[in-house]
Amino acid sequence: MKIHNTLTRKKEEFKPIKKDSVGLYTCGPTVYNYAHIGNLRTYVFEDILKRVLLYNGYNVKHIMNITDVGHLTSDEDEGEDKIDVAVQREQKTPQQIADFYTQAFKEDLSKLNILEPEIWCKATEHVSDMIKLIQKIEKNGYSYIGKNGNVYFDTSNFAGYGNLANLDFESLNTMARTEIDKDKKHPRDFVLWFSIKGSKFKGHILKWTSPWGEGWPGWHIECSAMSMKYLGEHFDIHCGGVDHIPIHHTNEIAQSESATGKKWVNYWLHGEFLLMKEGKMAKSAGNFVTLKTLIDENYDPSAFRYMCLNTHYRKKMNFAFEGLDSAQNTLSTLIENIRILQEKQEGETRQGKVEDYKKKFLEVINDDLNMPKALDVIWKLIRDEKNISNQDKYGMLLDFDKVLGLGLGGIEEKLQIPQEISDLIQKREEYRKKKDWKKADEARKELLDKGFILQDTSTGTILKKNNK
Ligand code: AMP
Ligand code: ZN
């Protein structure tokens, strides 16, 4: 299995640290608002990675954090804590905010058929682990305390800082220093522990005692501490969106490796952005679409998943409703084909051809998760009328769906056909048998008015939901 490693900028053969099992950490949501579909694209990509690992026979130990403190409105140390912003906005407690948006996030994952991690970990429940990690960093000489009481990571001391992102330090260092926290020795240094004492964040509610006084942890230390707690000091794969490369993941590496003195993560995978016509989708810019927006517009969440599968995770994906319409129609056709295959389980098995398809599918998913090609394989399989029996097709499609996650196994629920619709279809069939084309057409038109499309194909009649 080959995956693209941001660390080396190459596609590499995946070699797990322990035979047969994989430690996977994916940066989770900051629970101060609903996830937007850009965020969800990243979680779909990570789910595909996990499913491909499982399909290859690995046991996957997947950890995802919930950031419920410490993530400022900029990914650097500027702005306010995002949770504080939501507390002001909604007049609730930080815990009520975090609980509400965590629940909403988990519901989104479930609707998108995203497998849950083996362990969820909340930042606020792991502050003592973060404090211990900061103490190690301090002991090894990689931190300093500013006049404001904050504990900073000293990046100039850490050889290899910024390798992940190929950072251009010259431009970073000459960046308008005036805009940067005056207590930092270098603009690129970052906060490990925010002190209440000298804090500019007046309304901050969450705080803990620490060797550096009362305060709260920085965002980056959360992921370092929680990933190492559950996966050990050296593990296989760490993921997130591309925006995390230059700051969040760069800082996570610096913290973790300066604490342990050894290499931390072997493979870094990053998902490209989802873009709107107006540019990058961002909550701060106010141009964000949620899964609920799509559901309210009568889209099936799996149509969004299909759309994500259709673009390679390392390519930017332009979101437009026309594209989602097309994904939804293609998905309906796929589901209908499966329904027909399920009903007409006939034809002889030709084992050799079955193996060819399985081999091709494995080859493309193992080539850096090439899902657009995997979709090509399934459409070729569906259209293959000569070589494959319906029974084999059906079995293979359900097997491939372990990776695609489109829920093809549960299609009865997906296309619930009301009784009056089944009766109309039946009536139309009878007219057709009697060659009463006029009445058959009227029945089809009535179906269309009730939101269903009937299409006659070489393999049978297909019923689709009309989403318009
Ligand atoms: P956040 O809750 O802001 O920490 O983001 C959650 C995940 O979504 C992170 O892995 C981000 O890198 C990713 N992300 C943020 N914006 C986008 C976007 N427009 N497209 C794809 N992924 C994104
Ligand atoms: Zn993280």
Side-chain angles (χ1 to χ4, degrees), residues 22-37:
V22 179
L24 170 67
Y25 185 86
T26 57
C27 288
T30 304
V31 282
Y32 75 114
N33 207 332
Y34 294 103
H36 60 56
I37 55 171

Side-chain angles (χ1 to χ4, degrees), residues 397-427:
L397 287 167
L398 292 204
D399 181 55
F400 294 167
D401 195 50
K402 288 181 195 153
V403 174
L404 305 174
L406 292 168
L408 302 181
I411 55 162
E412 297 83 359
E413 296 155 37
K414 276 203 167 287
L415 198 69
Q416 276 171 358
I417 307 171
Q419 191 56 45
E420 63 163 340
I421 300 297
S422 318
D423 293 346
L424 254 174
I425 296 171
Q426 183 68 29
K427 235 161 90 191

Side-chain angles (χ1 to χ4, degrees), residues 205-433:
I205 301 163
L206 294 170
K207 52 180 184 280
W208 290 262
T209 50
S210 82
W212 314 281
E214 272 199 317
W216 69 96
W219 172 43
H220 317 301
I221 200 75
E222 300 180 358
C223 287
S224 289
M226 292 190 278
S227 61
M228 289 202 271
K229 174 168 179 137
Y230 296 106
L231 295 173
E233 290 184 350
H234 180 45
F235 63 91
D236 297 292
I237 309 180
H238 194 313
C239 299
V242 284
D243 57 325
H244 284 349
I245 301 172
I247 303 168
H248 185 48
H249 289 167
T250 289
N251 293 347
E252 281 187 42
I253 294 175
Q255 298 165 152
S256 308
E257 298 192 353
S258 62
T260 66
K262 61 185 183 206
K263 183 167 179 173
W264 183 40
V265 171
N266 281 349
Y267 301 88
W268 286 86
L269 270 69
H270 291 98
E272 250 301 350
F273 258 46
L274 176 145
L275 306 170
M276 299 290 279
K277 247 194 272 128
E278 302 76 23
K280 179 179 136 175
M281 180 171 292
K283 286 168 209 163
S284 51
N287 66 335
F288 77 96
V289 174
T290 63
L291 194 63
K292 186 174 177 305
T293 324
L294 305 187
I295 294 168
D296 288 349
E297 295 281 326
N298 276 329
Y299 290 99
D300 178 344
S302 293
F304 176 66
R305 186 173 172 109
Y306 190 96
M307 198 180 183
C308 294
L309 296 177
N310 223 353
T311 308
H312 190 265
Y313 78 92
R314 286 197 292 116
K315 289 214 169 103
K316 292 185 175 60
M317 174 173 145
N318 291 307
F319 178 83
F321 281 96
E322 299 79 52
L324 192 59
D325 286 337
S326 143
Q328 176 124 330
N329 282 331
T330 314
L331 181 64
S332 304
T333 309
L334 177 61
I335 289 170
E336 271 317 299
N337 273 286
I338 294 201
R339 200 170 61 84
I340 292 166
L341 291 171
Q342 194 182 22
E343 276 171 19
K344 297 188 185 164
Q345 300 259 322
E346 60 203 25
E348 277 169 36
T349 292
R350 288 177 60 187
Q351 206 48 42
K353 287 288 170 192
V354 170
E355 290 312 315
D356 284 353
Y357 277 105
K358 284 190 173 166
K359 200 169 141 231
K360 186 68 197 161
F361 184 77
L362 194 63
E363 196 180 292
V364 296
I365 62 169
N366 281 354
D367 180 15
D368 194 27
L369 321 178
N370 199 332
M371 292 303 130
K373 288 236 171 92
L375 292 176
D376 288 349
V377 174
I378 65 158
W379 283 108
K380 198 167 163 226
L381 170 65
I382 286 172
R383 292 188 186 116
D384 187 341
E385 309 242 315
K386 266 204 261 150
N387 300 304
I388 304 282
S389 70
N390 282 354
Q391 200 172 334
D392 287 338
K393 270 191 197 176
Y394 181 68
M396 261 193 283
L397 287 167
L398 292 204
D399 181 55
F400 294 167
D401 195 50
K402 288 181 195 153
V403 174
L404 305 174
L406 292 168
L408 302 181
I411 55 162
E412 297 83 359
E413 296 155 37
K414 276 203 167 287
L415 198 69
Q416 276 171 358
I417 307 171
Q419 191 56 45
E420 63 163 340
I421 300 297
S422 318
D423 293 346
L424 254 174
I425 296 171
Q426 183 68 29
K427 235 161 90 191
R428 176 180 175 260
E429 225 14 71
E430 282 159 18
Y431 292 136
R432 270 158 60 91
K433 274 192 199 133

